[in-house]
Amino acid sequence: MQRTKTSERKPLAVVLRESIWARGLTPEQMARVEADTVEQFVPKGGYVCHKGEKVDAWIGVVDGLVKMANISAEGKTVTFTGLSAGGWFGEGTILKNELRKYDVTALRDSRIARMPVRTFNWLLDNSLPFTRFLLMQLNERLGQFIGMVEFDRMLDVDARVARCLAAMFNSHLYPGADTLLQISQEEIGYLSGASRQRANQALQVLEREGLLKVDYGGIQILDLDGLRRFRA
């Protein structure tokens, strides 16, 4: 989840070719993907997509960090997951052909890729490797959400923050993760359902346990397995 300096930003075509779902595509299929997929800039606080809208694209995070969430009628925010560079989402809604059931907002300035639904469905019909990728994607996402329900009901804030950080190292859902997470305490709070102050306290606990080190502008992960097992 490293931030990319403007001078180091890769062209969209390069990012698409490096995506894990693109590895089994033929040159013809890759050419169509590059021709049809467009890039969108979403500033911090802006909406990538809205709950209730008709889905017109499969969406990927080229650079940045976004949050998938809903707001209840009482005004309570429920965060489902965060998505960093390399993560793609929305395939379930496309497959079910239904309206989107969540909002996605940018926690920092983000570059977003949008592959039209028609292109997504064409790949699904014509690429067995792409279909296999989607099966894995759906299975990993299901496991992630089951874990989140368990964590929310059974764990305290310190453990939720630990699991939130560990979840960012799923190599299928977040292929761009690095042991130095350039993520703010405010962003961790958003993703774990805690205030910035409480997230900071949790990080101090995890640091004393030797699981991570809080550096300026980021968090160095020292023991990923330890984060996954913390207070299990």
Side-chain angles (χ1 to χ4, degrees), residues 180-214:
L180 176 60
L181 292 176
Q182 292 184 308
I183 185 172
S184 71
Q185 294 173 16
E186 180 182 29
E187 291 167 342
I188 293 172
Y190 281 133
L191 296 179
S192 60
S195 68
R196 181 185 181 281
Q197 292 77 11
R198 186 62 184 85
N200 178 51
Q201 293 172 6
L203 290 173
Q204 292 178 29
V205 170
L206 298 174
E207 188 169 31
R208 287 196 296 270
E209 292 289 329
L211 303 177
L212 55 80
K213 180 176 177 55
V214 179

Side-chain angles (χ1 to χ4, degrees), residues 66-70 78-83 89 102-105 145:
V66 304
K67 178 181 73 168
M68 184 185 296
N70 266 339
V78 178
T79 298
F80 299 123
T81 188
L83 294 123
F89 66 92
Y102 48 80
D103 292 316
V104 178
T105 56
F145 287 154

